[in-house]
Amino acid sequence: MPADFGRTSVADRLLGVLDAFTADRPALSLSDIARRAGLPLATAHRLVARLVAWGALERDADGCYHIGLRLLEVASLAPRGLALRETAMPYLEDLYEATHENVHLAVRDGLDAVYVERISARSAVRVLSRVGARWPLHATAVGLVLLAYGDRALQETVCSGQLRAFTPHTVTDPAVLRRVLAEVRRCGCAVSDRQITEDAISLAAPVRGAGGDVVAAVSVVVDVEDARVPALTATVQVAAGGISRALGWSPGKDRSSRRSIAAP
């Protein structure tokens, strides 16, 4: 039993059970859940039963548990989730039709960019992203946009922390990252050149809410050899502008070009 088990609330334990599931482990046995959540087997059994009854977990024929559809139902109520996706989808589809490349929509959650929508083509360059995936802000084009238009405290937190390298091209020098963010604000777009995989470049632009704050970022990911990168940057900016206008933004309504309402 963990040393702090007695001080952990029921809510914390329930969340720990849900947190045991990951993209690479979407199906877990009861013993797996207990071990990964740091719970006694009997406690895990009781909590899992509650979550199954509510619909947060489902049990398959082999006795393994999966995340249940009730959580999807609840998640759809998030204003930065389904509502944003529904507003953005016509513009994301237009961007896809114009490029036939991987198209992404992402929001910020803490120090990560979280992908809330993705459209991809079989012939497009491979990407590691998926809906719901998280990546550090400093390494992706959508993340750089969300970071560049975040507040100074956010930028200093990221720059003073560990900047993880995914490839030899990932920016891990805080001084270089600060210059990159300044350039993003200057030109209104971000380019992540081989920072996640060595065969891809992503280009992103900010999506603004009704008050002018940056609430999301839209991007396209292309092969590193693609000669259309400059033209695609303008195409992504057009798509981001369309989503922004659909959300109620117009240039005259901007409160600030630097603020973001994404979650701290």
Side-chain angles (χ1 to χ4, degrees):
M1 179 183 297
D4 62 344
F5 180 78
R7 298 192 297 275
T8 304
S9 70
V10 173
D12 287 334
R13 297 173 201 171
L14 286 168
L15 292 173
V17 169
L18 295 175
D19 201 42
F21 294 85
T22 60
D24 60 333
R25 294 296 303 275
L28 298 172
S29 67
L30 182 62
S31 59
D32 289 335
I33 293 171
R35 183 179 66 257
R36 291 166 71 91
L39 297 170
L41 189 59
T43 301
H45 182 271
R46 184 175 68 254
L47 296 176
V48 166
R50 291 186 186 181
L51 291 169
V52 168
W54 186 77
L57 293 180
E58 297 175 355
R59 189 169 186 257
D60 64 23
D62 296 326
C64 286
Y65 294 90
H66 307 256
I67 294 296
L69 289 176
R70 185 70 183 275
L71 284 184
L72 178 61
E73 179 184 347
V74 173
S76 70
L77 303 176
R80 295 192 298 143
L82 184 60
L84 175 61
R85 291 165 66 187
E86 289 180 342
T87 300
M89 184 54 73
Y91 303 93
L92 299 178
E93 290 175 340
D94 286 347
L95 180 58
Y96 170 76
E97 290 298 331
T99 64
H100 290 286
E101 302 287 358
N102 296 291
V103 172
H104 295 125
L105 180 70
V107 298
R108 182 173 73 84
D109 185 35
L111 304 182
D112 297 324
V114 178
Y115 291 88
V116 296
E117 189 53 270
R118 169 189 166 190
I119 305 176
S120 60
R122 293 180 182 178
S123 59
V125 65
R126 72 182 183 95
V127 293
L128 302 180
S129 59
R130 57 177 177 78
V131 174
R134 293 171 172 268
W135 289 91
L137 293 173
H138 72 281
T140 66
V142 289
L144 289 171
V145 164
L146 296 169
L147 181 57
Y149 290 95
D151 59 35
R152 187 175 298 278
L154 170 67
Q155 294 166 12
E156 289 306 312
T157 297
V158 172
C159 289
S160 63
Q162 182 177 6
L163 300 175
R164 178 182 172 187
F166 296 92
T167 74
H169 305 281
T170 307
V171 174
T172 57
D173 184 329
V176 174
L177 179 57
R178 288 187 176 92
R179 291 197 294 271
V180 169
L181 297 178
E183 179 62 15
V184 171
R185 292 189 295 271
R186 186 192 68 79
C187 68
C189 64
V191 177
S192 175
D193 184 356
R194 298 167 290 173
Q195 293 207 68
I196 296 295
T197 61
E198 294 195 68
D199 58 350
I201 296 178
S202 58
L203 309 97
V207 172
R208 298 181 183 276
D213 298 322
V214 172
V215 297
V218 61
S219 73
V220 63
V221 184
V222 300
D223 189 277
V224 69
E225 302 297 333
D226 199 315
R228 299 175 298 159
V229 168
L232 287 174
T233 299
T235 304
V236 172
Q237 288 177 313
V238 169
I243 299 170
S244 299
R245 288 189 294 275
L247 292 173
W249 170 81
S250 65
K253 291 184 179 181
D254 282 9
R255 289 198 295 266
S256 169
S257 63
R258 292 286 306 276
R259 295 173 56 200
S260 169
I261 65 170

